[in-house]
Amino acid sequence: MKILYSGKTKNVVLDEEKNVVNLFFKDTATGENGVFDPGSNSVGGSVEGKGQIGLKISKYFFELMEKNGIPTQYLGSDIEQNLMQVRNLTVPKLEFVLRYFTAGSMCRRFSLEEGIVFDPPYAEVTLKDDIQGDPLISERLCIMKGLLKEGQWDEAADIVLRVGEVLKNELAPLGLTLIDFKIEIGYDETGKMYIADEITPDIWRVRDENGNIPNQIDCSKMLLEKLGL
């Protein structure tokens, strides 16, 4: 296996014998000072088995998206090896964010209270750049920088809304209210767009029935049990 890119929670690896791209799910989690937080831009620690749990959850949700007609990067998985086989896409350094309630960095940036409802949901796109603090970016700048082509911004926005509806409907019966989430979107040589990277508690915030916001480690364990994965 050849590592093409090393991220905070995953590596992009190439199986040179089979010429297949895989994502390797690591046991690391985002956060700061030992406190786990899916909205953080740094690694907060490591939990044994987290990578495999994340892969199981991602497999479940990618397959769920496909059943709902939403195209994904997912092609298959090897749970024992923590590997997810994926389409070879161009994935721009962007994160597409959808917020149903104010939380996290938005509250800090705009001096807002936590928990204000957005109806309709509030969409943002950020540039994945830790040094710059993941700044907000516009459609015009994405096209100027060559990150997206004409028309892809609107196509991505539609995918994000559809993903949000599926996530909300799947999490609600588990007693979880979706606060916000962020996804990556890539495109193939024809320009067709797909959900990329992962769909796990590393990309969302939820509130449980007691009003608590579980961190991604606790939320993953709960999903593993409730979904029977």
Side-chain angles (χ1 to χ4, degrees), residues 27 30 63 115 117 131 138 149 151 153 155 158 171 174 182 192 220:
D27 287 344
T30 54
E63 291 176 350
V117 177
I131 295 175
S138 67
K149 302 172 185 177
W153 177 280
E155 186 178 349
D158 177 66
L171 294 172
L174 306 179
K182 58 185 179 182
K192 181 179 178 179
S220 293

Side-chain angles (χ1 to χ4, degrees), residues 34-192:
V35 177
F36 299 120
D37 177 5
S40 176
N41 288 331
S42 58
V43 174
S46 179
V47 177
E48 185 177 356
K50 175 185 177 294
Q52 188 171 104
I53 292 173
L55 175 55
K56 289 179 179 179
I57 294 171
S58 235
K59 175 180 183 293
Y60 177 87
F61 280 102
F62 272 132
E63 291 176 350
L64 181 65
M65 295 299 160
E66 292 281 358
K67 289 177 184 176
N68 282 271
I70 304 173
T72 77
Q73 185 183 25
Y74 178 81
L75 292 175
S77 59
D78 183 337
I79 302 296
E80 294 303 316
Q81 298 297 319
N82 288 15
L83 293 173
M84 184 168 78
Q85 185 180 341
V86 298
R87 300 177 194 275
N88 194 1
L89 304 177
T90 297
V91 183
K93 290 187 175 298
L94 299 170
E95 286 183 332
F96 296 83
V97 183
L98 194 64
R99 301 179 183 274
Y100 297 97
F101 301 86
T102 54
S105 62
M106 164 167 268
C107 295
R108 296 190 294 272
R109 281 187 278 122
F110 301 114
S111 300
L112 295 169
E113 294 181 5
E114 297 265 349
I116 300 172
V117 177
F118 284 120
D119 186 17
Y122 186 86
E124 296 177 318
V125 182
T126 63
L127 180 68
K128 288 187 66 176
D129 187 322
D130 292 342
I131 295 175
Q132 297 295 323
D134 293 347
L136 295 173
I137 193 168
S138 67
E139 177 183 13
R140 185 175 177 182
L141 286 176
C142 285
I143 293 172
M144 284 176 62
K145 290 173 67 66
L147 297 170
L148 294 176
K149 302 172 185 177
E150 292 282 354
Q152 287 186 325
W153 177 280
D154 289 339
E155 186 178 349
D158 177 66
I159 289 174
V160 173
L161 286 172
R162 292 163 63 197
V163 169
E165 284 302 305
V166 174
L167 282 179
K168 279 199 309 175
N169 293 336
E170 189 69 11
L171 294 172
L174 306 179
L176 300 172
T177 300
L178 187 60
I179 296 173
D180 57 25
F181 69 94
K182 58 185 179 182
I183 61 171
E184 295 184 35
I185 295 180
Y187 54 89
D188 63 18
E189 64 279 358
T190 71
K192 181 179 178 179

